[in-house]
Amino acid sequence: DDADRLSRLVTEAIQMARIEGGTLQLNRGLHAPAVLISTALRDMRHMTEGRRIEVQVPEGLPLVFVDAGLVQLALRQVIDNALKFSSPAGRLTIAARPEEGRLLISVADEGPGIPERELDRIFDKFYRSPGHPRVAGTGMGLAVAREILRAHGGDIVVKNLPSAGAEFCLALATTPPENL
């Protein structure tokens, strides 16, 4: 577990340095959303064991034009965040759906939600919620995820759910841009 944690920290730092330095290279291809999600979850199986994970990915979704490794990294960052901030007994729901020429992948948890004053800050590099000092992490995961999505011409947003918990929504292009 410690080796995995160290590896994740190094990966986050390297990817953030590449993004900020303008040297991030995207190896884009067309990928099935179901495969991106299942691969990210498979890579996290040691963290998700015993957790209630519900995946809602209908058949026939459009392919997304992305760097699979980077998008899977972004997904892992968001899923990791949801796992950290929700009860081990709570359910995590990962869903995908098309919307207006793009694909939305959402990750929803049944945790306490995010204080309104923090909604605008959680994607800031090194930001850690003062209300959760015991939650492990560097405060880089969500910043890395956002920058990966933006490098793909997409974005990530978060909202609190009416019942409980938070939902992160990742938007990805379903077709290659004309100029590529």
Side-chain angles (χ1 to χ4, degrees):
D1 285 344
D2 287 340
D4 287 342
R5 184 174 182 285
L6 181 59
S7 176
R8 283 192 307 274
L9 290 174
V10 170
T11 298
E12 289 172 3
I14 290 170
Q15 294 303 355
M16 188 57 84
R18 286 182 179 153
I19 290 165
E20 289 179 341
T23 61
L24 182 69
Q25 293 189 357
L26 301 178
N27 297 311
R28 293 182 192 233
L30 290 171
H31 298 278
V35 173
L36 294 171
I37 293 167
S38 65
T39 302
L41 286 170
R42 184 191 69 224
D43 292 347
M44 300 181 76
R45 65 184 166 273
H46 65 285
M47 297 171 69
T48 59
E49 271 184 40
R51 299 297 296 260
R52 291 180 16 200
I53 310 280
E54 183 178 326
V55 179
Q56 301 171 352
V57 181
E59 289 187 30
L61 287 175
L63 300 177
V64 289
F65 187 62
V66 298
D67 181 313
L70 288 175
V71 168
Q72 288 162 359
L73 172 60
L75 278 168
R76 288 192 305 270
Q77 300 294 348
V78 173
I79 293 167
D80 178 59
N81 190 75
L83 291 169
K84 286 178 186 175
F85 289 94
S86 60
S87 161
R91 180 181 57 224
L92 200 68
T93 304
I94 303 168
R97 71 181 188 281
E99 184 179 283
E100 299 175 7
R102 54 192 187 149
L103 182 94
L104 302 180
I105 299 175
S106 62
V107 177
D109 64 52
E110 295 178 337
I114 301 164
E116 290 294 321
R117 68 186 177 280
E118 294 182 31
L119 284 172
D120 291 336
R121 300 197 59 209
I122 62 169
F123 295 107
D124 292 349
K125 189 170 45 168
F126 303 119
Y127 182 76
R128 295 185 34 105
S129 174
H132 299 278
R134 292 194 177 125
V135 174
T138 61
M140 284 181 48
L142 293 177
V144 168
R146 179 183 62 184
E147 294 307 317
I148 288 171
L149 271 288
R150 287 182 173 175
H152 282 84
D155 207 352
I156 182 172
V157 296
V158 63
K159 68 178 180 180
N160 284 314
L161 298 173
S163 55
E167 178 183 55
F168 288 81
C169 193
L170 295 75
L172 296 164
T174 55
T175 56
E178 294 293 326
N179 57 354
L180 288 182

